[in-house]
Each structure stands twice: as structure tokens, then as C-alpha cells.
Amino acid sequence: MKSNFKADLSKEKQLAVLLDSYYQKHLKKYAFERISDRRQQLQGIDLVLKDKFSDTFYYVDEKAQLDYVNESLPTFAVELFYEKEGEKKQGWLFDVAKKTHFYALATSIFSDVDKVFTSCNITFVNREKLILHLSALGLTREFFEKLIQGHHDLHGKLVLEKLCPKKEGLLYFSTQNKAEKPINLILRLSYLEKIGVAKRLV
């Protein structure tokens, strides 16, 4: 199993062109600056949104379903844990080193021409609100850490008592098909909008 890091990076740069055009068109109240500094990107900052009418700014981490180009999925994978050099690491949701205020989830990404992305949906998710909502359900970082200890060899779905798997979400272990062996919380985009932590931009 090899990591597709470099290929993903190239696709992300191509997608950024499309995302920027959407931000310019739909985020009228904000100026935005794309971040290229690697250190800031590792802190979960791909974009800085600045309110044109106040000094308020927000750090945005872009997450794109680049493994599913020309497909429309109703869900998004939120990374809870992954492995690096055999060691389990915090995924981006609960990682305290991340400074992210919002996730910009790019879904339903379509490419009609080779290496050109022509359309996608963007859903903004308030990170703090999402964590607070999950915590209210008892789905905290500590809860997930304990839960996965008993499921080391699991590959596939794990239903959570607090979430309806068909309408809300579930856990997914990718232990056999991905180098990073991510453990993701798969959440329905409609659920994120319904509970008030997400808003569709396009």
C-alpha cells in the first residue's frame, strides 16, 4: 500500500482554481488569501477569509473528495485517527495543533476534461460547533480513543449507538486498503446542515 500524497497534491492545486472562482463569486463579504506556507497548512490553514467590513478573519481547511471524481456522495469522511510509521496519530478533527475554524468540504467534483475540474459542491462546516455537537452526544475524542482500542483488526463499518447509520453517520476503519489506515467518522452532509453546523455554499 503506497501513499498517494504527491498525486493528491497535484489534484488539489488543479481543484484550487475552481474553488477560488466559487469563493470570488459567492463570498461577497469576504476577501480570501490562499496559504502556500507548509507550516500553516499543517496547522489546518489552506485559506484565510477576511471580513471586508470588520477585522474578523477565519482559518479554513479545504477537504476534497478527490478519490471520487465524477461521483456524488451524500456523505463526508471526518478523519479521527491515522497511522504514520506504525504509530497512531490524531486525525484533523480533534487535533489540538490545528487552528482551523471552518472546513470547506468539496464534494460532487466533476471533471469533463483531463486535469480540469469543471464543477463541485462546497459545504462549509463550523469545526467548533461540530465538536460541541458530537460531545453533547458523548462522541468525544476520549470516547473514540477507547472505542478503537477494542477494534484493532476491524476493517469496514462500525455502527455507533448515538447516530443513525442511514441518516446521520457511522465509523469506518480503512485498515486493509490504505497506507495511513485512517479511522473516519462518516457523516451525512444533510445531517450536518440539519443540526446547524454546516452551510452549503454551492
Side-chain angles (χ1 to χ4, degrees):
M1 288 182 290
K2 67 181 177 64
S3 176
N4 294 324
F5 185 73
K6 281 185 179 170
D8 286 349
L9 216 57
S10 163
K11 283 185 194 171
E12 281 171 17
K13 281 182 180 170
Q14 292 153 18
L15 182 62
V17 177
L18 177 64
L19 295 178
D20 285 356
S21 72
Y22 282 136
Y23 298 147
Q24 276 171 335
K25 185 177 179 183
H26 298 284
L27 292 173
K28 302 284 190 198
K29 293 200 307 187
Y30 296 92
F32 69 90
E33 179 192 353
R34 186 163 286 286
I35 301 300
S36 55
D37 178 62
R38 187 82 186 116
R39 187 180 57 82
Q40 285 181 283
Q41 287 178 338
L42 289 171
Q43 293 174 327
I45 309 168
D46 288 318
L47 205 70
V48 179
L49 287 183
K50 295 173 185 171
D51 191 315
K52 290 177 181 176
F53 307 102
S54 72
D55 291 331
T56 319
F57 64 90
Y58 302 100
Y59 294 139
V60 178
D61 191 359
E62 293 173 328
K63 301 292 179 189
Q65 286 180 337
L66 287 166
D67 289 343
Y68 303 97
V69 173
N70 295 329
E71 290 182 56
S72 287
L73 300 185
T75 55
F76 205 90
V78 177
E79 186 186 70
L80 300 180
F81 304 98
Y82 68 97
E83 275 189 25
K84 189 175 181 182
E85 295 167 3
E87 192 181 331
K88 197 160 281 315
K89 302 274 190 181
Q90 279 294 331
W92 40 263
L93 181 64
F94 291 121
D95 186 348
V96 293
K98 304 288 189 211
K99 294 182 175 180
T100 311
H101 294 122
F102 287 91
Y103 299 114
L105 309 183
T107 60
S108 300
I109 303 165
F110 283 84
S111 173
D112 301 333
V113 190
D114 189 37
K115 295 191 176 177
V116 178
F117 294 113
T118 48
S119 69
C120 73
N121 295 338
I122 303 172
T123 304
F124 273 85
V125 177
N126 185 309
R127 182 193 184 196
E128 186 181 359
K129 282 186 180 178
L130 176 58
I131 291 172
L132 285 172
H133 177 80
L134 293 172
S135 297
L137 297 176
L139 302 176
T140 59
R141 186 181 72 183
E142 294 74 19
F143 167 83
F144 286 118
E145 280 172 351
K146 282 181 189 168
L147 182 68
I148 65 164
Q149 282 170 7
H151 297 87
H152 285 301
D153 301 320
L154 179 66
H155 177 80
K157 298 174 185 176
L158 180 67
V159 173
L160 295 162
E161 192 185 322
K162 297 285 185 179
L163 293 175
C164 170
K166 288 187 177 170
K167 294 180 183 174
E168 298 171 349
L170 49 80
L171 265 191
Y172 197 90
F173 292 70
S174 299
T175 49
Q176 293 168 18
N177 61 339
K178 293 193 177 179
E180 294 86 5
K181 298 186 178 180
I183 299 169
N184 293 324
L185 181 60
I186 310 294
L187 294 171
R188 287 200 161 249
L189 293 165
S190 58
Y191 172 63
L192 294 175
E193 289 184 58
K194 184 181 161 190
I195 60 174
V197 306
K199 198 169 184 180
R200 175 92 168 261
L201 182 71
V202 282

